[in-house]
Amino acid sequence: MNAKYERQLKKGVLEIIVLQLLSKEKMYGYQLIMTMKELSQGMFEMREGTLYPILYRLEDDGLVKSEWSEQKDKEISRKYYKITEDGQKTLIELRSLWHDFSKNVNQILGDNDDE
Amino acid sequence: MMNKEQYIKLVMKKLGCTKKEKEKIKVDLNNDIEMALKNGETFEDIMKRMGTPEELAQEFNDNLGVVYKKSHKKLIIGIIIGVVAVIIAIVLYIQSLIPDINPLGTSGLYQESEVHQWNVEAIGYLNQNDYDSLHQMLSPNLRDRLDDILKAKNDLGELGNFEKITSEQSVEAKQKGELLVASEVVALYEKRSVTYTISFNESGQMVGIYMK
């Protein structure tokens, strides 16, 4: 299959996934990439060039916020991302949207199976 | 073998986004690579995972949606400037060719009486076929054409005696930086009228003549 179609499909859910993960705990960019990979069994192997533009957009829209971790001993302060209140609210709306969305799509796809 | 700094530097070079965005990306990439190294990945693994600097920069550019629009806009602006410049150049050139025409007296360089005098003299010399006087009156670059001028007068045919000037219209014309005066003079002869178009320069030298 042309990888383009798979990419298109995945593109639509990346924001939801990122918000969902950040709603559980604040994370570094690297952490987000690794966690997504694990939880999706490798299907969502996002690269930095895709993840960070999404984080920047979410930040511009006020749905996530970036902060610097506390400096501990020799450890350098690192930048991490966390979800905001607006982000939580939006996540709830998006989850509901996803629910309807997947239900409808399944319905359309499901009909074809019966034929 | 590339190191982290070189890698990031190359990515920065190929990025087409705003300076602010580039700064953010630099910080995040640094962070990312450090964490990956801490996690046990080798820099080679990291490069394999993230792609070459060019690939990574391209991915950022695509997802930030900036580069192509920018260069497209620059191209259009460049073309418009080019076209406008060419149009201006053409207009200026044509303007320099077209004589700037104003009524006699506008510049103060030519007096109507003086111009009338020149016209009358010129026509008089032509009527008498006065080669020498004409030669003296002509501007240097017209002197070679003196024979053609006299021939043209003869080609008009038998005119009869000169009677008078029935009309005279003059204008000042700027051509190639020089201010000239041009007159359309209608001269009545026994048999018919002749319309002369004569041009003089500031020194009273004839720079052009046409007759029909």
Side-chain angles (χ1 to χ4, degrees), chain A residues 11 28-30 33-34 45 47-50 52-53 56-57 59-60 68 75 77-79 81, chain B residues 21 24-25 27-32 34-36 38-39 41 49-51 55-56 59-60 63-64:
Chain A
K11 242 202 216 170
Y28 302 110
Y30 181 71
I33 294 176
M34 290 294 132
E45 195 163 351
R47 292 215 290 209
E48 283 77 353
T50 305
Y52 285 109
Y56 299 156
R57 270 201 292 276
E59 206 179 1
D60 284 342
W68 290 85
E75 291 231 351
S77 188
R78 300 229 171 266
K79 187 177 173 191
Y81 290 86
Chain B
E21 284 170 329
K24 268 202 253 185
I25 293 173
V27 168
D28 283 316
L29 277 183
N30 247 311
N31 249 338
D32 229 74
E34 283 299 317
M35 299 231 78
K38 233 167 114 206
N39 201 29
E41 287 186 55
R49 182 166 56 80
M50 298 214 289
E55 287 170 350
L56 186 57
E59 205 183 335
F60 270 110
N63 285 314
L64 292 167

